[in-house]
Amino acid sequence: MFFPNAAPAAEPGSAPSRNLIDRIKGLALRDTNVVVVTVILNNLLRAVSGMILTRLLVPEVFGISGIVASIQFAATMSTDFGFQPFVVRHKNGDDPRFLDTVWTASLIRALFLALVLVVCARPIAMLLEKPELALIIAVSSLTFVLDGFSSSSMLTALRQRLVLRLSAIDIVVLVVQIAVSAVLAYFWRSYWAILAGMLTNGTLKLVLSYVMFDDSFRKFRLDRDVVQELWSFARYITGSSLIFLVISQCDKFVLAKVMSLNHFGLYVLAGNLASAPLAFAMTYASRVLYPTYAQLWRDGHGDLKAKFYERRKIPSLLYTFATGGIIGAAPIIVKLFYSARYAEAAIYLQVLSISSLLALSSNAGNEALLAAGHVRASLEASISKLVWLAFAGVAGFVFYGEFGLIVAVGVMELPALLVKWVRMQKFDLLDLRQELFYLAAGPVGVACGLGADLVIGPLLH
């Protein structure tokens, strides 16, 4: 799945074979294609990991994994200062003094989060009525420490569009994490195997953040002007992240309390599968679209709208078609990857994948608005999700129980997408015909997935 637009031209006077090699190399190394290959490899590796771990561990373990992941995500998003977009977009994003300050602020934040998680581990476990999780929650705080001491070179690499190198790091780290988790799961048969893999991931990424990039070491420094500018930038980011925290994790905290760990584990696994296409939507938008749009904005390019749709046409069509296919073929996907005791996860996968279907359009619009300096749009979209969840989520849970809440969560991306379209229209960034054309590939994918389920499903019994 490669996107051949804008392949580099051959050099005058070069041999035909050399020209062909250069063109193929240029095509393969385009940012979009690197992201596509990376996400495919990432999802394949996670699928293999799921096939192995679900045969070694009971669903309860994945319930614990989901709770710990939600707690860590809550801690991260509640203190999100937007370091990545701040560095990528800033005119002084390569200045050592500027980067020293950003790295120092990030380190202080990470150490603070680790301390808070250790102190609050037992109260959180008691609140969830699962006191046995207190030690696990406390130990998981080490992931924040490892992240805090990592180099800021990962941020400057994105600014410099070193997408291939960042993607290679992601794949290598994930392979090692999966290997460690699988081996330890074979011997330990507990959640500690998954946590050990996470800590191995953080340790290896820390080391590679210094080894793989030049000028990666930073000094402890707090420049007052940079800190003030960071806080000014982060106000909307933090507010949006706090709302996003509520809307993305409240279902998990509610369901973790009312469901058994075994049943909650099925929901977590379904969420992991639904996030497979979401990984592309987020990575492509943040690593390809945003740096491109930010560069156009810094250069004063006037036709951002045309570039916006030119860059994402083919990826958007393929993405929505593939995600629709996941919705239609969810039962056979679960049967292929997991053992029979996980079959109930299929219905959760279908519902949760609806938001994934809309995610690329939503994320792409958000990055275009952010690059153009309209940071507030992200906050407004998050508020729309919060309002939706407050009404539809509560009503769904009251009248239809756990599944009613899950359905409300599954379609929660729709109000946010509509808000972003309104803001894009205001700033002359929206082409509604193109947007609807991209989304129309989704129902086609659903139909194909349903057909595959009808044909292949009976053969898997």
Side-chain angles (χ1 to χ4, degrees), residues 34-349:
V34 170
V35 169
V36 169
V37 173
T38 301
V39 171
I40 291 174
L41 289 175
N42 189 297
N43 287 331
L44 287 175
L45 288 169
R46 292 188 183 278
V48 171
S49 174
M51 294 174 68
I52 296 172
L53 293 178
T54 53
R55 285 160 176 77
L56 295 173
L57 304 170
V58 296
E60 176 181 330
V61 171
F62 297 97
I64 296 173
S65 176
I67 290 174
V68 172
S70 293
I71 292 171
Q72 289 195 328
F73 187 78
T76 300
M77 297 304 289
S78 62
T79 56
D80 182 15
F81 291 109
F83 293 116
Q84 178 173 300
F86 182 65
V87 171
V88 172
R89 186 175 184 272
H90 202 281
K91 61 181 180 180
N92 297 323
D94 296 314
D95 179 66
R97 188 178 185 87
F98 171 85
L99 293 173
D100 287 344
T101 299
V102 172
W103 178 82
T104 302
S106 178
L107 174 61
I108 293 172
R109 167 183 172 270
L111 296 177
F112 171 76
L113 288 177
L115 178 61
V116 169
L117 205 57
V118 170
V119 172
C120 296
R122 183 164 182 78
I124 292 173
M126 297 303 294
L127 180 64
L128 295 173
E129 300 180 359
K130 294 174 174 63
E132 67 274 17
L133 300 184
L135 179 60
I136 292 175
I137 294 171
V139 175
S140 71
S141 66
L142 290 174
T143 58
F144 288 120
V145 178
L146 295 171
D147 183 64
F149 280 101
S150 296
S151 173
S152 61
S153 60
M154 304 288 278
L155 302 180
T156 54
L158 184 58
R159 174 185 172 87
Q160 296 161 7
R161 300 176 66 178
L162 301 178
V163 178
L164 179 61
R165 196 175 307 181
L166 289 171
S167 298
I169 290 174
D170 288 343
I171 295 299
V172 169
V173 168
L174 180 59
V175 168
V176 175
Q177 176 184 348
I178 291 172
V180 170
S181 295
V183 171
L184 295 180
Y186 178 80
F187 291 104
W188 293 354
R189 306 285 171 153
S190 72
Y191 171 74
W192 290 103
I194 295 179
L195 181 56
M198 292 170 54
L199 295 176
T200 302
N201 178 308
T203 302
L204 183 56
K205 185 169 285 189
L206 185 156
V207 173
L208 292 177
S209 71
Y210 289 97
V211 173
M212 294 294 292
F213 302 96
D214 296 329
D215 195 25
S216 56
F217 287 89
R218 305 259 62 92
K219 299 177 181 178
F220 191 91
R221 185 200 308 269
L222 286 174
D223 182 282
R224 184 175 180 178
D225 292 337
V226 176
V227 170
Q228 288 179 342
E229 192 172 357
L230 172 61
W231 174 244
S232 178
F233 178 84
R235 284 182 301 171
Y236 291 119
I237 299 293
T238 304
S240 177
S241 296
L242 285 170
I243 296 174
F244 181 70
L245 166 62
V246 174
I247 60 184
S248 64
Q249 298 300 309
C250 72
D251 62 316
K252 298 177 181 64
F253 285 118
V254 171
L255 295 174
K257 187 175 178 63
V258 301
M259 284 179 167
S260 66
L261 280 175
N262 191 71
H263 198 190
F264 183 63
L266 298 177
Y267 180 72
V268 170
L269 282 173
N272 291 342
L273 284 174
S275 69
L278 191 60
F280 174 79
M282 296 177 64
T283 306
Y284 177 67
S286 64
R287 290 191 176 181
V288 178
L289 295 182
Y290 181 73
T292 300
Y293 298 155
Q295 182 66 52
L296 291 171
W297 178 83
R298 291 196 302 268
D299 294 343
H301 196 286
D303 195 9
L304 187 60
K305 176 179 177 179
K307 293 294 183 181
F308 173 58
Y309 287 99
E310 175 187 335
R311 191 68 187 240
R312 54 174 285 236
K313 181 177 181 178
I314 296 178
S316 293
L317 289 170
L318 293 175
Y319 173 88
T320 51
F321 175 80
T323 309
I326 292 174
I327 295 174
I332 59 174
I333 291 174
V334 173
K335 289 177 185 177
L336 284 171
F337 290 145
Y338 304 139
S339 61
R341 59 185 172 182
Y342 293 92
E344 293 180 45
I347 185 63
Y348 298 147
L349 172 59

Side-chain angles (χ1 to χ4, degrees), residues 394-408:
V394 171
F397 186 70
V398 170
F399 292 106
Y400 300 101
E402 300 164 359
F403 192 70
L405 174 59
I406 293 170
V407 171

